[in-house]
Every structure is written in C-alpha cells, then in structure tokens.
Amino acid sequence: MPEPTSPPRIFDRALLNRRLDRAWMRPRGGARADFLLVRAAQDLSERLSVVKRRFAVAADFGSPGPHGAVALAHGGQVDCVIRVAPTKASLGTGRFLPAVGDLERLPAGDGRLDLAVSLLALQTVNDLPGALIQMRRALKPDGLLIAAMIGGDTLTELRQSLTIAESEVLGGASPRVAPFVDVRAVGGLAQRAGLALPVVDLDRAIVRYADMVALLADLRAMGSANALHARSRKPLPRAVFARAAAAYAERFADPDGRLRATFDIVWLGGWAPHESQPKPLQPGSATTRLADALKARH
C-alpha cells in the first residue's frame, strides 16, 4: 500500500505561536487587538443559549485567547470547561482547566466530550479536515461541535492592494495574505469529518481604519501577520508599501476617508452521530410530489 501523503505545509505554525506569544506578553495596557475574539465569544454564547441542553464536559480547542472558554464557564450550561490553548502565554485565566496543545494533534481521547468549540484558530491549520475529524472523535455520541474560523473575503482589500502594488513596482506578486476557506466548502468538510446535521453560516464584520498602517498594526497585535510557509523573507520595499497604501485609499475608502477592512467569520455547527438524530428520507420514499408541494405554496 502507498504511504499516506502528508497535508501541504501552508502555514508556519511555529512562527504563528511565537507571534501569538509576543502579542500576549505585551505589558498590561499594550495594544492587543482582540475585538474579533470578543465578537466570536459573544456569538458563541448566543448560539449555545438556544440549545436546550446541559453539557457535562466541554473543551475549547486552539482558540488564540481564553474568551471562548470564559464564555462557556459563565454561560451556565457547562459543568466543566477545559481550555487547550496553542501556547502557554495565550492560556489566560478563568474558571476552566488549563492545558497547552496543538490543534493539529489534539490531546484528547475519543468519546470524552459533550461539547467541543474552537474560535478563530482553524484557519491556520495545515490539515483542516484532519483537525475537524479529531474534534468530532473527541465527542461522545450526540455531542456538539461549534467552530468559528476566519474565511470568506477576509482582508480582500489588503490582498488586492498589495497585489496591485507588487505587480506595478516589482513586476510580480508574492503571497502576503493567507488563503481563507470558502464558506461553501465548509459544509462538505463537515460531512467529510463525519458530523451529522451540519449548519454553516457567515458573520461579516467591516472594520474601519484611518490608514493601512493602522490595519497592519492590528494584525500584528492579533499575532496574525503573514505566516505563510511560502512567504517572501524579504522586507516589503518602501515603494511597494507606499503604492499599496495609495491603492487601498483609492479603492476602499469611505466618503469620510476611512478605509474598510472585511473580516468574515465562518461558523460551523454539527453533531457527533447518534441513532436518536433525525435521518434523511430514503430516495423514493416521499409521499408528496415536489410539483404538488410547489403548487401548494401559491
């Protein structure tokens, strides 16, 4: 039998972790941009509030801050919360059991959890299907998985501006903004991971900045600067940077001069299979013709 192929190395995960540590080790009061994590944690609480169930054990896998684990602990639906942080510095504090682990090699046994969540972390794994499979395997039958990842058209304005600038100044462009998962592909990934009843939706946030420099400062404060394995190791020439900033202002400024930056958060919810869950009808078992159902709606 042929050897199983390893997933392509898209992200330099060691570099990502070093940058995340630097972001969290800034002195209190330093610039740490966690507004997307705050938004995702609030959304997580709202999504769980409509699930009329209590969870004995939940784990937060790989989230770059403790926001999700804190939300689980404060929500009143979970008895025990475990936070598996990507680095020690990003563990944070709260009413949860702390641990450090790799999202691509989860330190969790099969069938141990009632709830698994991950906020804004899965977009930087090299094997997204594999990570989802591991999270699903960690669930008990009929356990719930909720994951939020950066995707869609996130940072499309920055990507376009940098591409224009490098093409004009250097005659070609190198990858400087990570590829993001398409929302239409996430449902297929959920089925591939063996999740039942998957639901996928998108939350778009438009953040406005005074200039491109302020956006890049926020990305560094998130620990989210370019960590592509195939990134250029050369500093961006000043002429390219200046042209990118100008292109950004030309194409993506609001009437008041502030610049738009798109952040798309793709949400996935699904369940570990269980015999009690609704099953799709077998082909040919319907008792009403589609044409009759459509007529009844007029």
Side-chain angles (χ1 to χ4, degrees):
M1 295 291 291
E3 291 289 330
T5 58
S6 299
R9 189 180 178 192
I10 302 171
F11 300 99
D12 185 338
R13 290 185 55 77
L15 176 62
L16 279 165
N17 286 344
R18 291 196 299 271
R19 287 177 172 169
L20 183 61
D21 273 349
R22 284 200 296 268
W24 276 98
M25 289 188 292
R26 285 189 176 90
R28 184 177 296 275
R32 184 187 301 132
D34 64 352
F35 57 90
L36 290 177
L37 269 173
V38 170
R39 184 185 184 106
Q42 292 172 344
D43 204 347
L44 172 66
S45 297
E46 293 174 5
R47 289 166 186 268
L48 277 177
S49 69
V50 301
V51 180
K52 303 307 178 184
R53 179 180 296 193
R54 189 164 192 85
F55 302 94
V57 182
D60 168 24
F61 287 123
S63 303
H67 306 63
V70 170
L72 293 177
H74 289 175
Q77 289 178 261
V78 182
D79 296 326
C80 175
V81 178
I82 303 166
R83 167 156 166 72
V84 182
T87 67
K88 185 176 180 180
S90 64
L91 259 173
T93 58
R95 298 203 309 267
F96 51 77
L97 300 177
V100 175
D102 188 345
L103 192 53
E104 294 187 329
R105 294 181 295 275
L106 290 184
D110 292 353
R112 301 293 182 88
L113 304 174
D114 302 281
L115 171 64
V117 306
S118 180
L119 299 184
L120 310 189
L122 286 166
Q123 71 274 357
T124 56
V125 298
N126 290 306
D127 182 9
L128 178 54
L132 290 173
I133 288 171
Q134 290 183 72
M135 292 176 68
R136 192 266 301 163
R137 286 177 176 169
L139 292 170
K140 297 176 182 177
D142 207 31
L144 175 61
L145 183 151
I146 300 179
M149 65 195 86
I150 300 296
D153 291 329
T154 295
L155 296 178
T156 182
E157 302 90 351
L158 179 62
R159 186 196 310 272
Q160 293 180 52
S161 301
L162 288 170
T163 300
I164 290 169
E166 286 197 276
S167 298
E168 291 182 2
V169 177
L170 302 178
S174 60
R176 296 190 183 275
V177 178
F180 296 111
V181 66
D182 188 283
V183 65
R184 293 167 294 185
V186 175
L189 291 174
Q191 292 180 331
R192 181 177 170 183
L195 290 167
L197 309 174
V199 177
V200 179
D201 62 272
L202 184 143
D203 172 35
R204 172 165 290 177
I206 303 295
V207 183
R208 303 201 316 145
Y209 290 93
D211 49 38
M212 195 179 79
V213 174
L215 167 61
L216 295 176
D218 259 6
L219 294 178
R220 286 192 296 270
M222 295 176 191
S224 299
N226 184 9
L228 290 170
H229 179 65
R231 69 193 181 279
S232 172
R233 268 57 172 180
K234 298 179 181 178
L236 194 66
R238 290 185 179 180
V240 175
F241 188 91
R243 179 65 188 107
Y248 206 131
E250 292 163 5
R251 291 169 174 258
F252 304 110
D254 285 334
D256 62 358
R258 295 183 69 81
L259 308 184
R260 301 184 302 277
T262 299
F263 293 93
D264 283 347
I265 301 177
V266 180
W267 285 90
L268 166 64
W271 300 82
H274 188 264
E275 61 183 11
S276 66
Q277 294 165 351
K279 303 293 190 299
L281 293 174
Q282 294 295 323
S285 63
T287 58
T288 303
R289 295 190 312 126
L290 176 60
D292 294 336
L294 292 175
K295 288 179 182 177
R297 295 180 63 86
H298 291 288

